[in-house]
Amino acid sequence: MKIAVIPGDGIGKDVTTEAVKVLHSVEQTFGRAFELEHLPWSADHFVVTGETLPANGYDLLRQFDAILIGALGDPRVPDNRHARDILLGTRFELDLYVNYRPVKLLDERLCPLKGRGPKDVNFVVFRENTEGVYVSIGGRFKANTVDEVAIQEEINTYKGVHRIVKHAFDYAAASGLTKVCMADKSNAMTQGHALWQRVFKELAAQYPAIIATHYYIDALAMYMVLDPGQFEVIVTNNLFGDIITDLGATFQGGLGMAASGNIHPGRTSMFEPVHGSAPKFAGKNIANPIGAIASTALLLETLGAKNEAAAIDAAILLAVKENQVTSDIGGTLGTREAGDFIARAISKMKTR
Ligand code: NAD
Ligand code: IPM
Ligand code: MN
């Protein structure tokens, strides 16, 4: 397996080091060979070279089996240009239309919702990942004056909406799940989200064994907090999916815990923790590496290395159960020591 590793900025570097440590442990334990290539694309690289990623950057990425990213975002690049090119650019150019974000609580102690445990918090969010407001179509007229007009268009295409909603139904069907909930804002966004309504109804009719429900996104946010147990699969647009998965991350113990995959089934896909570069923690051995390590498990699972992915998930669960974790979730370990524990736990799990 050829894996491109882009640590990026801030704590992205800290947590990626631990994810790579875990990959090495998986290699030794399972007799796998991963060919890792570190790519320096980051704010540091941009500040020094003026380049966000090279001209052939996306073609280069397509040659890997998968991509592992830490996080991108740095106060020295206030317009976030490098993150737009590296992170959003890869989502667009590699057409990674599925943003897969599991919301899975590992231990009741980590959940801020009163009385909720792992049985109540176990669902997945499929976020559309290639259109919506993220396409950056628009402009600023009379910028920086009192007459400024700023336009940011939201793109919704039949193809784009259909393929993510279909993916959600197919995932549910393949996983033995029975519920898919679509969230939009079709009561206010009466043009673009009418398309979501039409596509959702069209597809729901093709999956009679699955209960298809709809909430407006504001109500969905409320129900996620009040009654998370009702959800199995949520599908929504790019922006709403971004927002509700930070909320979902808090149910799991915080942003440090949440994993994600940016997937085009059958093609080179990209995996990253849900969190950002948390500049105030950068380089301080504080950041929780679990989100990045769990993203590595998603990467391996997507490439078909199921036992290896399961071993990583089991090691993460053990770390949580034994409180061998960082301070954001109540432990006393640093980033490196938390990574060491998980890497060691895997090495003790020899399964063949
Ligand atoms: P953030 O996710 O970086 O951090 C928000 C807060 O969450 C942190 O201050 C910290 O308290 C907590 N947190 C996040 N990750 C953690 C971890 N691993 N361990 C412990 N605590 C953790 O979000 P932000 O502050 O809004 O953004 C900072 C920068 O990151 C910005 O430049 C933003 O654009 C960027 N960003 C990048 C990505 C990405 O690369 N995928 C995602 C989100 C934000
Ligand atoms: C995420 C991040 C990105 C997004 C930012 C960094 C552009 O918040 O991956 O969740 O909004 O998609
Ligand atoms: Mn986000």
Side-chain angles (χ1 to χ4, degrees), residues 250-261:
T250 67
F251 300 177
Q252 297 164 265
L255 271 170
M257 297 296 290
S260 82

Side-chain angles (χ1 to χ4, degrees), residues 101 127 242 246 274:
R101 296 189 159 183
R127 163 187 178 190
D242 178 48
D246 266 34
V274 171

Side-chain angles (χ1 to χ4, degrees), residues 182-204:
M182 188 274 277
D184 63 19
K185 190 65 189 169
S186 51
N187 51 354
M189 304 182 73
T190 51
Q191 312 298 336
H193 295 194
L195 177 58
W196 280 79
Q197 286 287 323
R198 168 163 87 92
V199 170
F200 188 62
K201 285 177 188 148
E202 178 189 321
L203 280 164

Side-chain angles (χ1 to χ4, degrees), residues 11 71-73 87 255-256 272 274-281 287-288 328:
I11 63 164
L72 290 151
L87 185 70
L255 271 170
E272 51 165 355
V274 171
H275 66 74
S277 57
K280 66 179 183 198
F281 289 170
N288 185 346
D328 54 307

Side-chain angles (χ1 to χ4, degrees), residues 47-84:
V47 166
V48 173
T49 65
E51 170 191 87
T52 56
L53 78 178
N56 65 343
Y58 304 121
D59 287 333
L60 191 69
L61 290 177
R62 284 190 192 93
Q63 292 165 18
F64 291 90
D65 295 307
I67 305 157
L68 182 64
I69 291 206
L72 290 151
D74 186 296
R76 291 169 298 168
V77 191
D79 67 2
N80 214 27
R81 187 184 327 175
H82 70 306
R84 263 206 329 271

